Amino acid sequence: MSRRVPELRRSSAERRINVVLVDDDRGFVESLRTLVDDQPQLSVVGIGGDGVEAIELIEELGPEAVVIDLHMPHLDGVSAVARIRQDHPALCLIAITGDDAPELHQAVADAGADAVLLKTDLFGRLADQIVAARERVATG
């Protein structure tokens, strides 16, 4: 399912945070893409369907932020976040899940996620979480 989203040319004054989305639910990830692209400070540059594709897209596209589901085939989100964090310490990593198990949320936080959001809360909080995480990296 991995695919690169066509790049739009923008001036430096219009610079957006480049985001990769990763979820094996194609309908959900397309809805998420619409949500992210509707935010003036965010731009989706790639979409993947599992943790392996997430790693490949990050290497290929060099985004500033990744939104990644925790339950996926081939390489789950917790394992992918741990590997991504090790290789890209400054990357903004937002984990998303429909699973409200505290131990899962703690595991992905321990793996290096900047935030864990329930999919039910996602649409109201995602853009704010990405911008806040990038600001922490830029100032800290």
Side-chain angles (χ1 to χ4, degrees):
M1 183 168 121
S2 175
R3 63 191 169 117
R4 184 179 186 155
V5 176
E7 187 175 336
L8 300 174
R9 292 196 170 106
R10 300 191 195 306
S11 72
S12 59
E14 298 173 316
R15 179 81 167 99
R16 292 182 174 196
I17 297 170
N18 291 324
V19 181
V20 166
L21 306 176
V22 186
D23 195 308
D24 61 323
D25 181 337
R26 188 170 180 98
F28 178 80
V29 82
E30 287 299 328
S31 296
L32 187 57
R33 176 184 178 186
T34 300
L35 169 76
V36 172
D37 275 339
D38 282 348
Q39 303 303 311
Q41 69 272 40
L42 306 177
S43 179
V44 175
V45 294
I47 296 173
D50 62 55
V52 173
E53 289 180 355
I55 292 166
E56 291 169 353
L57 284 168
I58 291 164
E59 294 302 322
E60 177 186 344
L61 303 174
E64 289 109 358
V66 175
V67 178
I68 187 167
D69 186 30
L70 296 183
H71 295 291
M72 297 181 296
H74 307 296
L75 183 63
D76 66 272
V78 175
S79 300
V81 165
R83 182 162 166 200
I84 293 164
R85 179 56 72 214
Q86 179 180 355
D87 294 342
H88 303 276
L91 186 65
C92 171
L93 288 169
I94 307 294
I96 58 173
T97 185
D99 190 339
D100 63 358
E103 61 276 0
L104 177 62
H105 294 206
Q106 188 61 52
V108 75
D110 292 345
D114 292 300
V116 182
L117 300 175
L118 286 172
K119 288 182 177 181
T120 55
D121 298 334
L122 187 65
F123 294 100
R125 299 182 52 208
L126 181 62
D128 293 338
Q129 289 291 327
I130 291 172
V131 171
R134 287 303 304 152
E135 287 174 359
R136 282 192 306 272
V137 168
T139 61

